Amino acid sequence: MLTLQLRYLRYAIASAVLTIITALTMPLLQGKAALLHIPVPHFELIAFSVTAIFIVLVNVRMLMQAYRQQKETQLTTLWVLVVGQALWFATVAWLHEIPAAGDFLRTMTLPFALAGVTLLLLSLGLLQRRERAIPLDAMMQQNARRLTWITVVLAIYALLFFGMTLNWQSGLAVATSVLLIVDPRWPAFWAGWRRFKILRALAADGVTFQNPQVLDYVHDVKDVVVEKTGILTSDTIVVRSVLSVDERYSDFDILGITTGLLEPFDSELTRSVLAFAEERGVYPSSASELELMPLVGVKGVILNERFSIVSAAYAVDQKFAIDAATLQSYQELGNSVSYIVDGLQVIGVITFGSSLNNALLAVDRLFTEQGLQVRMATADTTGSTMQVKKLMGSLTETVADLTPAGKQAQLVAWLNQDNTMLITNQTLPADVQPTITVAVGDQPINADIHVATVTDLRKLWDTTEALFSTDTKVLRWTSVVMVLFLLLAAGLGIFISPYFFVAPVVATILRLALSLPLLTVVDPES
């Protein structure tokens, strides 16, 4: 919670000094004499005036902080305390001028009022930094607003009930107790702290996120688009063949050109091709003017001729002269295919493949359990998707042999709507805007969530369930406890025992005691 910070502890010290002075020079309880007599004319008026100035100063500063909180976080409950403090001082001043009888009013004196304000400011000061360390989601904020209005309603009830049955000073005293005894945000802080612990454990387990709020949307995801290469398949690539389809070049020539173009670019395919060539005693040709073609391949110059390695989908799209029957046979064997091109003429072909990810069945089970519609778009050949489609029951739609532009358009059609998730290890195009982007590994850097391996995906849904439980169970039970204290302060205990009531000073003591657990468990530097 980034907002104006008040020096509550300094105000508490000033209030404590005023408490000591008034405790010695003014009556502690209604109808009792002061411990010391101060021979100063109008001393009590001076004491009330100084206290009034102090209360007004503190309340003005609290209202400024409340305004900033409301503006920045759309949630503040400080105005409840401001009203409570003002009512308390007004009631004490009224009783000083017109005393009234009643158990509620015995401690409604200036020393006890200042002592209560001291405790109130102390609790605010101790928790101020802790509150900033706890993020609150929409459900928590809604719960805090609900409790705020419950507090106000019970305070009005107490004012009217005791005002009409006893006297209005008693009604004001009980209403003050209701306004001060608890903070309506406490259940939200407890739930927020529990939520923070869950998220920190998730981060320690290798799952990181740009904004923790994005995890709230995982539970609503219905459609998932997943990248094939390196996620559903393993990172290991096996080169099956590098062949010439042009009589001007031998197979070894094509292999030398291929290694020369790929060698400067570190990738799993490069390493596999280099190993394949080394086994056959072929070394990379010297290449220059090398350039990476995103989602297509690479190009460069060898012996003053321009060569490129492109995907099969790109070759078909560019209408290169390729043997369609041969390409189909490669695909039916489950191969990925790339072509070596001399200018606009295909001179060679590379066939390679990846084994399926060992975690594929576990991931498929997760998607099925969550009732997700899973889709896959790839620039790779149709043949390379055959094994994945056969084993993944959750995979409802597959589109292969896409050009980079075609793949991007397909992703936009699938993902630019509500409740969608993209699981990828590739750079995300600017116009592709899923609800959640999950990166497996380091890329893309700007993904909402990063997981180390595809098996970590289950942690997202498990964490979402834990967060949902926190937002309901913790909020519910802590709110019940807060309401019980509010009912106690509202004077309902009177119907059980005539001595079962909460004076405002007792309410501030209870508030300080209730705030101590948050003080001990929440690290302000978290």
Side-chain angles (χ1 to χ4, degrees):
M1 188 179 295
L2 301 175
T3 189
L4 176 67
Q5 300 298 292
L6 298 188
R7 301 183 182 276
Y8 282 115
L9 297 182
R10 293 188 181 183
Y11 290 140
I13 292 172
S15 181
V17 172
L18 290 175
T19 300
I20 294 172
I21 293 173
T22 56
L24 294 174
T25 59
M26 299 183 69
L28 283 175
L29 298 173
Q30 289 288 338
K32 301 294 182 180
L35 295 176
L36 300 175
H37 174 69
I38 303 298
V40 176
H42 309 296
F43 176 79
E44 291 184 348
L45 178 60
I46 294 172
F48 270 95
S49 299
V50 171
T51 302
I53 293 172
F54 175 74
I55 295 294
V56 169
L57 173 63
V58 172
N59 281 352
V60 167
R61 293 290 290 167
M62 290 175 66
L63 286 174
M64 292 173 61
Q65 186 180 36
Y67 172 77
R68 290 283 294 275
Q69 285 181 351
Q70 184 64 36
K71 184 178 180 180
E72 296 174 9
T73 67
Q74 290 74 55
L75 175 67
T76 185
T77 58
L78 285 174
W79 63 271
V80 176
L81 298 181
V82 170
V83 173
Q85 288 184 122
L87 286 182
W88 197 350
F89 178 75
T91 307
V92 168
W94 188 6
L95 285 168
H96 181 75
E97 294 299 319
I98 306 176
D103 289 334
F104 296 103
L105 308 176
R106 295 181 61 194
T107 58
M108 293 295 286
T109 59
L110 193 59
F112 271 113
L114 284 167
V117 170
T118 301
L119 296 176
L120 182 64
L121 294 172
L122 184 61
S123 68
L124 290 172
L126 292 175
L127 288 182
Q128 184 169 228
R129 293 179 63 200
R130 265 70 179 179
E131 293 170 357
R132 295 178 62 196
I134 303 176
L136 304 184
D137 63 17
M139 185 180 294
M140 298 172 191
Q141 292 189 356
Q142 182 181 6
N143 185 81
R145 294 188 188 99
R146 187 184 303 116
L147 275 179
T148 299
W149 290 112
I150 290 175
T151 301
V152 172
V153 169
L154 287 175
I156 294 173
Y157 155 79
L159 172 63
L160 296 177
F161 179 82
F162 290 98
M164 291 187 293
T165 57
L166 296 176
N167 53 63
W168 290 108
Q169 291 100 323
S170 294
L172 286 170
V174 180
T176 299
S177 298
V178 175
L179 294 173
L180 300 182
I181 193 167
V182 296
D183 189 330
R185 296 175 300 168
W186 282 349
F189 286 141
W190 275 108
W193 171 76
R194 176 59 184 159
R195 180 186 182 91
F196 175 78
K197 296 283 285 185
I198 293 172
L199 294 177
R200 187 162 63 177
L202 181 65
D205 212 15
V207 179
T208 59
F209 32 83
Q210 299 277 3
N211 180 2
Q213 300 299 331
V214 76
L215 291 169
D216 294 330
Y217 303 123
V218 172
H219 192 269
D220 299 323
V221 167
K222 302 300 180 185
D223 298 289
V224 172
V225 177
V226 60
E227 187 69 42
K228 178 183 75 73
T229 305
I231 296 180
L232 300 181
T233 60
S234 68
D235 291 329
T236 303
I237 292 177
V238 177
V239 177
R240 297 194 171 100
S241 66
V242 179
L243 302 173
S244 172
V245 295
D246 188 314
E247 61 184 12
R248 295 176 300 163
Y249 299 92
S250 68
D251 291 346
F252 290 103
D253 292 334
I254 296 300
L255 187 53
I257 293 170
T258 302
T259 53
L261 293 175
L262 290 176
E263 185 182 32
F265 302 101
D266 184 35
S267 69
E268 185 60 33
L269 178 60
T270 297
R271 289 187 287 271
S272 299
V273 169
L274 290 174
F276 182 86
E278 186 176 354
E279 291 175 0
R280 289 153 180 79
V282 177
Y283 297 95
S285 300
S286 178
S288 61
E289 300 182 29
L290 291 164
E291 182 181 344
L292 183 65
M293 304 164 64
L295 302 178
V296 174
V298 297
K299 61 183 178 180
V301 175
I302 297 176
L303 296 177
N304 296 321
E305 289 204 47
R306 191 166 296 277
F307 297 93
S308 58
I309 300 175
V310 299
S311 65
Y314 182 83
V316 171
D317 181 69
Q318 296 298 310
K319 296 181 172 52
F320 291 158
I322 60 174
D323 188 330
T326 302
L327 174 60
Q328 183 178 356
S329 66
Y330 286 144
Q331 292 176 340
E332 289 175 351
L333 291 174
N335 290 312
S336 298
V337 179
S338 289
Y339 287 104
I340 299 92
V341 180
D342 177 1
L344 297 177
Q345 183 175 353
V346 173
I347 62 173
V349 60
I350 310 170
T351 64
F352 56 94
S354 300
S355 60
L356 297 180
N357 193 315
N358 292 333
L360 181 64
L361 293 179
V363 173
D364 181 50
R365 188 181 308 114
L366 169 65
F367 291 156
T368 302
E369 290 172 357
Q370 299 300 326
L372 301 174
Q373 300 292 314
V374 183
R375 296 179 173 90
M376 180 175 67
T378 179
D380 215 337
T381 63
T382 302
S384 68
T385 67
M386 292 171 54
Q387 284 185 299
V388 175
K389 290 191 291 185
K390 183 177 180 180
L391 292 179
M392 281 193 71
S394 60
L395 191 60
T396 59
E397 187 174 357
T398 301
V399 181
D401 296 307
L402 292 171
T403 62
K407 180 177 179 180
Q408 184 168 330
Q410 187 64 69
L411 292 178
V412 169
W414 282 344
L415 292 170
N416 286 20
Q417 50 189 308
D418 294 335
N419 303 326
T420 58
M421 175 185 287
L422 172 63
I423 303 173
T424 185
N425 54 4
Q426 299 181 7
T427 302
L428 184 66
D431 58 347
V432 178
Q433 299 175 346
T435 307
I436 304 172
T437 302
V438 179
V440 180
D442 298 330
Q443 294 294 329
I445 296 175
N446 61 341
D448 299 306
I449 302 170
H450 284 79
V451 297
T453 65
V454 70
T455 55
D456 291 332
L457 290 173
R458 179 170 289 277
K459 298 175 185 177
L460 295 183
W461 273 270
D462 290 344
T463 298
T464 298
E465 292 298 327
L467 292 176
F468 182 76
S469 175
T470 293
D471 284 354
T472 53
K473 293 181 181 178
V474 176
L475 278 177
R476 181 188 304 123
W477 290 111
T478 52
S479 295
V480 167
V481 173
M482 295 300 105
V483 170
L484 289 176
F485 276 98
L486 288 170
L487 293 174
L488 176 64
L492 298 187
I494 288 292
F495 297 105
I496 301 173
S497 168
Y499 303 102
F500 197 21
F501 65 91
V502 177
V505 68
V506 177
T508 56
I509 293 172
L510 290 173
R511 181 189 181 98
L512 180 61
L514 291 172
S515 67
L516 292 179
L518 269 177
L519 179 68
T520 57
V521 300
V522 178
D523 181 2
E525 303 301 331
S526 297

